Amino acid sequence: MTSAPAFPDISISTERLVLRAYEEADVPALVEMMDDELITAWTGVPHPYTAEAARDFVGRAAPAERTEGRGLVLAVTEFLTQRLVGTVSLQRTDWRIRATEIGYLTASWARGEGYACEAVLAVCRWLFAEQSFARVELRTAADNTASQQVAQKVGCVSEGVLRGAGLVRTLTGDGTWAETRTDLLVWSLLPEDLDESSGSGAGDDRYGNYTQYTDYTAYADWH
């Protein structure tokens, strides 16, 4: 019987970053990174984000995305310091048409460095060159203009709006979080779009302070 397709267990290096699988040693930094208002607002991750949630993510949920063929979850770390600065994930992968959806977020201490564009472009180039993928899709919440700037910077093309297709969270006056429905903007990147893109965006502060919309399918058990 033929096994289901899955991404390889890989590491991707850029000039400033190393993208790799999460490890147990990342748990403390992961907890610190995810305990952030922007990440809570734009994603579906558990809140508060506990060490138990981080260990489950690192040990079970993230690896299962790859081994079960749904996608791939990569920790984004600085090359020089090895510090965790973000996450890039692939999800809803369609192996027949060689297409996938990308999601990403950046730690509060690493925003303004252009890491978003650098990491996303590295993964997309790998998908197109090494995995023969034909399409990468991403979705941004309608009010998340910073993430939309990242999409534009890496060369994505806006395709339309999914009305009322997402959930975001807002902080209420009593300090609790409330979910509200939002439109999602759909973007895509094809191999030919990268040929026309203007560069990595590294060092451009306008595109570093972002958290992209994702419902984080790796966190399905918490929904």
Side-chain angles (χ1 to χ4, degrees):
M1 183 175 64
T2 304
S3 59
F7 288 115
D9 185 7
I10 52 92
S11 175
I12 300 172
S13 296
T14 71
E15 181 179 352
R16 302 183 298 164
L17 303 172
V18 176
L19 285 68
R20 55 161 177 78
Y22 270 97
E23 303 168 351
E24 179 67 24
D26 296 318
V27 166
L30 179 61
V31 172
E32 184 182 1
M33 179 174 73
M34 302 302 274
D35 187 21
D36 173 75
E37 286 191 359
L38 279 179
I39 291 175
T40 301
W42 296 119
T43 75
V45 300
H47 178 78
Y49 197 84
T50 65
E52 180 182 1
R55 283 190 292 270
D56 186 70
F57 177 73
V58 169
R60 181 193 61 82
E65 288 294 289
R66 186 186 70 82
T67 58
E68 296 178 12
R70 293 188 297 269
L72 183 66
V73 179
L74 296 173
V76 181
T77 63
E78 287 181 326
F79 176 76
L80 292 178
T81 67
Q82 300 181 4
R83 189 178 190 187
L84 181 68
V85 296
T87 300
V88 172
S89 64
L90 302 176
Q91 54 195 4
R92 301 186 182 92
T93 303
D94 188 322
W95 292 96
R96 186 178 67 84
I97 65 172
R98 310 298 284 188
T100 191
E101 181 180 328
I102 197 165
Y104 44 87
L105 57 83
T106 295
S108 60
W109 55 82
R111 293 171 188 154
E113 299 294 333
Y115 289 154
C117 296
E118 191 170 334
V120 169
L121 279 172
V123 172
C124 290
R125 287 173 175 146
W126 171 76
L127 284 168
F128 295 148
E130 304 295 333
Q131 299 296 305
S132 300
F133 267 59
R135 172 183 170 88
V136 176
E137 182 177 307
L138 62 132
R139 302 177 181 188
T140 61
D143 291 334
N144 195 344
T145 55
S147 184
Q148 292 157 27
Q149 289 176 322
V150 173
Q152 293 169 336
K153 185 65 175 179
V154 301
C156 292
V157 174
S158 177
E159 295 188 333
V161 179
L162 296 176
R163 296 186 300 162
L167 292 173
V168 296
R169 289 179 282 198
T170 56
L171 192 60
T172 65
D174 62 3
T176 61
W177 290 90
E179 285 190 334
T180 57
R181 191 162 292 277
T182 183
D183 294 345
L184 298 180
L185 307 186
V186 180
W187 307 78
S188 68
L189 191 70
L190 307 183
E192 55 264 35
D193 298 327
L194 277 187
D195 296 337
E196 300 169 1
S197 65
S198 59
S200 70
D204 189 337
D205 287 353
R206 293 177 300 160
Y207 303 101
N209 187 14
Y210 78 98
T211 301
Q212 191 257 347
Y213 173 85
T214 176
D215 61 9
Y216 265 69
T217 53
Y219 286 103
D221 288 352
W222 282 285
H223 290 176

Short mmCIF file of all heavy atoms in Angstrom, two decimals, residues 139 142 160-167 181-186:
data_model
loop_
_atom_site.label_atom_id
_atom_site.label_comp_id
_atom_site.label_asym_id
_atom_site.label_seq_id
_atom_site.Cartn_x
_atom_site.Cartn_y
_atom_site.Cartn_z
N ARG A 139 -4.15 33.78 3.80
CA ARG A 139 -5.36 34.53 4.11
C ARG A 139 -5.05 35.49 5.25
O ARG A 139 -4.43 35.11 6.23
CB ARG A 139 -6.50 33.59 4.50
CG ARG A 139 -6.82 32.57 3.41
CD ARG A 139 -7.90 31.59 3.83
NE ARG A 139 -8.15 30.62 2.76
CZ ARG A 139 -9.12 29.73 2.78
NH1 ARG A 139 -9.97 29.69 3.82
NH2 ARG A 139 -9.29 28.88 1.78
N ALA A 142 -9.30 40.99 7.51
CA ALA A 142 -9.54 42.24 6.80
C ALA A 142 -8.89 43.44 7.47
O ALA A 142 -8.45 44.38 6.79
CB ALA A 142 -11.04 42.46 6.65
N GLY A 160 -9.29 38.05 -3.76
CA GLY A 160 -10.67 38.31 -3.40
C GLY A 160 -10.90 38.24 -1.91
O GLY A 160 -9.95 38.22 -1.11
N VAL A 161 -12.16 38.20 -1.53
CA VAL A 161 -12.57 38.25 -0.14
C VAL A 161 -13.48 37.07 0.18
O VAL A 161 -14.40 36.77 -0.58
CB VAL A 161 -13.31 39.56 0.19
CG1 VAL A 161 -13.76 39.58 1.65
CG2 VAL A 161 -12.43 40.76 -0.12
N LEU A 162 -13.20 36.40 1.29
CA LEU A 162 -14.10 35.39 1.83
C LEU A 162 -14.90 36.07 2.94
O LEU A 162 -14.38 36.36 4.02
CB LEU A 162 -13.32 34.20 2.38
CG LEU A 162 -12.50 33.40 1.35
CD1 LEU A 162 -11.69 32.32 2.07
CD2 LEU A 162 -13.38 32.79 0.30
N ARG A 163 -16.15 36.35 2.68
CA ARG A 163 -16.95 37.12 3.62
C ARG A 163 -17.29 36.31 4.87
O ARG A 163 -17.79 35.20 4.79
CB ARG A 163 -18.23 37.61 2.95
CG ARG A 163 -17.98 38.57 1.78
CD ARG A 163 -19.28 39.13 1.26
NE ARG A 163 -20.16 38.06 0.79
CZ ARG A 163 -21.47 38.21 0.60
NH1 ARG A 163 -22.06 39.36 0.86
NH2 ARG A 163 -22.19 37.20 0.15
N GLY A 164 -17.00 36.91 6.03
CA GLY A 164 -17.33 36.28 7.30
C GLY A 164 -16.71 34.92 7.52
O GLY A 164 -17.26 34.10 8.25
N ALA A 165 -15.53 34.68 6.94
CA ALA A 165 -14.94 33.34 6.95
C ALA A 165 -13.96 33.10 8.09
O ALA A 165 -13.48 31.99 8.25
CB ALA A 165 -14.25 33.07 5.62
N GLY A 166 -13.66 34.14 8.85
CA GLY A 166 -12.68 33.97 9.91
C GLY A 166 -13.16 34.47 11.25
O GLY A 166 -14.17 35.17 11.35
N LEU A 167 -12.43 34.09 12.29
CA LEU A 167 -12.69 34.57 13.64
C LEU A 167 -11.43 35.22 14.18
O LEU A 167 -10.33 34.67 14.06
CB LEU A 167 -13.12 33.43 14.56
CG LEU A 167 -14.47 32.78 14.30
CD1 LEU A 167 -14.65 31.56 15.20
CD2 LEU A 167 -15.61 33.77 14.53
N ARG A 181 -16.47 37.79 14.20
CA ARG A 181 -16.31 37.27 12.84
C ARG A 181 -15.71 38.35 11.94
O ARG A 181 -15.97 39.54 12.11
CB ARG A 181 -17.66 36.80 12.30
CG ARG A 181 -17.56 36.01 11.01
CD ARG A 181 -18.83 35.22 10.75
NE ARG A 181 -19.00 34.16 11.74
CZ ARG A 181 -18.42 32.97 11.65
NH1 ARG A 181 -17.62 32.69 10.64
NH2 ARG A 181 -18.63 32.06 12.57
N THR A 182 -14.88 37.91 10.99
CA THR A 182 -14.20 38.85 10.10
C THR A 182 -14.14 38.30 8.68
O THR A 182 -14.18 37.08 8.47
CB THR A 182 -12.77 39.14 10.58
OG1 THR A 182 -12.16 40.11 9.73
CG2 THR A 182 -11.91 37.88 10.55
N ASP A 183 -14.06 39.20 7.71
CA ASP A 183 -13.76 38.79 6.34
C ASP A 183 -12.29 38.41 6.25
O ASP A 183 -11.45 38.93 6.99
CB ASP A 183 -14.03 39.93 5.36
CG ASP A 183 -15.50 40.30 5.28
OD1 ASP A 183 -16.34 39.51 5.74
OD2 ASP A 183 -15.79 41.39 4.75
N LEU A 184 -11.98 37.52 5.33
CA LEU A 184 -10.59 37.14 5.06
C LEU A 184 -10.23 37.54 3.64
O LEU A 184 -10.98 37.27 2.70
CB LEU A 184 -10.38 35.64 5.24
CG LEU A 184 -10.64 35.06 6.63
CD1 LEU A 184 -10.38 33.56 6.63
CD2 LEU A 184 -9.78 35.74 7.68
N LEU A 185 -9.08 38.17 3.48
CA LEU A 185 -8.54 38.46 2.15
C LEU A 185 -7.69 37.28 1.70
O LEU A 185 -6.86 36.78 2.46
CB LEU A 185 -7.70 39.73 2.18
CG LEU A 185 -8.35 40.98 2.78
CD1 LEU A 185 -7.43 42.19 2.59
CD2 LEU A 185 -9.71 41.25 2.17
N VAL A 186 -7.91 36.84 0.49
CA VAL A 186 -7.20 35.68 -0.06
C VAL A 186 -6.09 36.16 -0.99
O VAL A 186 -6.33 36.99 -1.88
CB VAL A 186 -8.15 34.74 -0.82
CG1 VAL A 186 -7.38 33.54 -1.38
CG2 VAL A 186 -9.27 34.28 0.11
#
